Amino acid sequence: MTPSHPIASSPQTVGIVGGGIVGLAVAREVVRRRPGTIVTLFEREPRLAAHQTGHNSGVVHAGIYYKPGSLKAQLCARGRDLLKEYAAEHGVPLLECGKLVVAVDPGEMQRFDALEKNARANGVPGLRRLDGAEITEVEPHAFGIAALHSPATAITDYVAVAEALGREIEETGGRVLLGTEVTGVRRVAGGVEVRTEARLDGDGGPTRRGRRPDSTEVWTVDQLVICGGLQSDRLGALVGGPASPRIVPFRGEYMRVAEAKQELVRGMVYPVPDPRYPFLGVHFTRRVDGSLEVGPNAFLALSRSGYGRLSFDARDLGDTLAFGGFWSFARENWRAGVTELRGVLSRRAYMRTAQRYVPEIGAADVVRAGLGLRAQALERDGSLVDDFVIHSGDGITSVRNAPSPAATSSLAIAEHIVERAFGRS
């Protein structure tokens, strides 16, 4: 172990924990807004965007779903515009292919009407309500009795965005340390002490940019921002944060549509979501490479970091099962869990729901295409934490809940965090 050392004695130093898109956006915002600040980002994985950022559906949301006045609603609107500008500036593909949110039976219309009211309150640009005949003008192969058309909903490559942010941070004097896991944090006189351990890649070599570290290092920074994603509750506990919200991981599997039927969907086709759940339902989404995917579904994950269908981590599962809030949630939602399990076990069951919206694409037209993980925050009583949650105090800012639309909102979340931590400048 090396002795404790400051990242720099002067000027101000800032540490960022987490190399997903939110952590990268915060690091970039600090160096952009406060030139001369020494910024160091710690990422435990051997690459950026290794978890939620690199395993989502690539959608740039327009703000349809979020409670008016919430942080999600405010930062999604701002973030959408900032992300569009950033993608254009850095040559990252971003395509406004549009989205339909489709109701397929009369029993959904009350939720549909409420969703339209919500979207209009959030100022979703270009929003239109369509009847059944008008749906096919936008998506000729889709079916429904009504739809909301959001032409400003877009798709992008969030890994490419993250990599561009990483390059920008380093080009402006910041450091991005890969393979560097934060294992301890404590407040000390005049700053925050951060303990890290080096993680090695599969070949036993160092996985971080820059010099090879010793096994353990201790850094001292003036300010620390924690953007831990799937590890946010554990990292929050390191800094003495509240016990809740706690993270319960959910997995979402994707199906890829065969090339012969990729053109049956021009943009995106979504169901009307159930407001009791944080998930938007299985949907059709184009990718910037021209492919078409279906998904994701949502089922309890047995690991916070494994992306195989059988991935399992005893600690992760143990933490979930030991949390009373999970059992309260499970008691209320077991029927939905059974439905999702059918889709996990059977491709035909998975596609049965999706075919309600695009009947010509069925189980024979898709193959499994990997999965993503979602860090779902729950309170002790089992209630879902719907909005972004950010705790700040004594030089440490901790992002405790940043689910979708966090990627869309990332540049705006960064503005929000930096203004709270440092004040406007």
Side-chain angles (χ1 to χ4, degrees), residues 155 262-263 265-268 284-288 290-292:
I155 51 175
Q262 285 179 2
E263 301 307 315
V265 177
R266 295 172 174 176
M268 290 167 261
F284 292 85
T285 306
R286 294 211 69 86
R287 293 284 193 167
V288 291
S291 63
L292 178 66

Side-chain angles (χ1 to χ4, degrees), residues 249-261:
F250 282 82
R251 53 182 275 176
E253 294 183 305
Y254 294 88
M255 301 285 179
R256 181 172 295 111
V257 177
E259 188 173 349
K261 291 197 173 182

Side-chain angles (χ1 to χ4, degrees), residues 74-260:
Q74 297 172 44
L75 299 182
C76 180
R78 171 70 174 158
R80 177 191 66 224
D81 294 339
L82 290 174
L83 185 61
K84 184 177 178 179
E85 294 172 6
Y86 191 85
E89 179 182 352
H90 292 270
V92 174
L94 187 148
L95 174 63
E96 289 187 340
C97 58
K99 173 167 72 175
L100 288 181
V101 181
V102 180
V104 295
D105 65 61
E108 296 177 296
M109 290 310 297
Q110 184 175 355
R111 285 187 282 133
F112 180 88
D113 291 340
L115 187 66
E116 180 184 12
K117 182 179 179 180
N118 197 85
R120 295 197 184 281
N122 287 337
V124 173
L127 187 74
R128 291 192 302 145
R129 180 174 179 138
L130 309 178
D131 61 25
E134 292 171 318
I135 287 173
T136 56
E137 296 175 8
V138 178
E139 290 286 357
H141 300 276
F143 169 80
I145 60 174
L148 295 176
H149 181 218
S150 170
T153 301
I155 51 175
T156 192
D157 182 343
Y158 281 117
V159 173
V161 174
E163 291 173 345
L165 289 167
R167 288 192 296 271
E168 188 177 356
I169 292 162
E170 293 186 316
E171 288 168 359
T172 52
R175 287 183 288 192
V176 176
L177 304 183
L178 303 178
T180 306
E181 181 175 9
V182 172
T183 58
V185 177
R186 69 186 183 103
R187 294 175 175 86
V188 295
V192 181
E193 189 177 86
V194 182
R195 182 181 299 272
T196 66
E197 292 185 4
R199 292 168 59 94
L200 302 180
D201 62 22
D203 298 323
T207 58
R208 57 190 282 194
R209 302 178 190 185
R211 65 185 180 84
R212 184 187 180 102
D214 294 329
S215 177
T216 300
E217 290 185 301
V218 180
W219 310 78
T220 302
V221 297
D222 298 309
Q223 295 267 357
L224 183 70
V225 182
I226 300 173
C227 306
L230 287 148
Q231 307 294 331
S232 62
D233 54 344
R234 293 169 176 168
L235 289 165
L238 287 181
V239 301
S244 63
R246 290 275 294 275
I247 295 301
V248 173
F250 282 82
R251 53 182 275 176
E253 294 183 305
Y254 294 88
M255 301 285 179
R256 181 172 295 111
V257 177
E259 188 173 349

Side-chain angles (χ1 to χ4, degrees), residues 383-400:
S383 60
L384 298 166
V385 181
D386 185 54
D387 206 358
F388 298 144
V389 176
I390 302 169
H391 295 157
S392 297
D394 297 330
I396 298 175
T397 298
S398 181
V399 180
R400 293 296 298 267

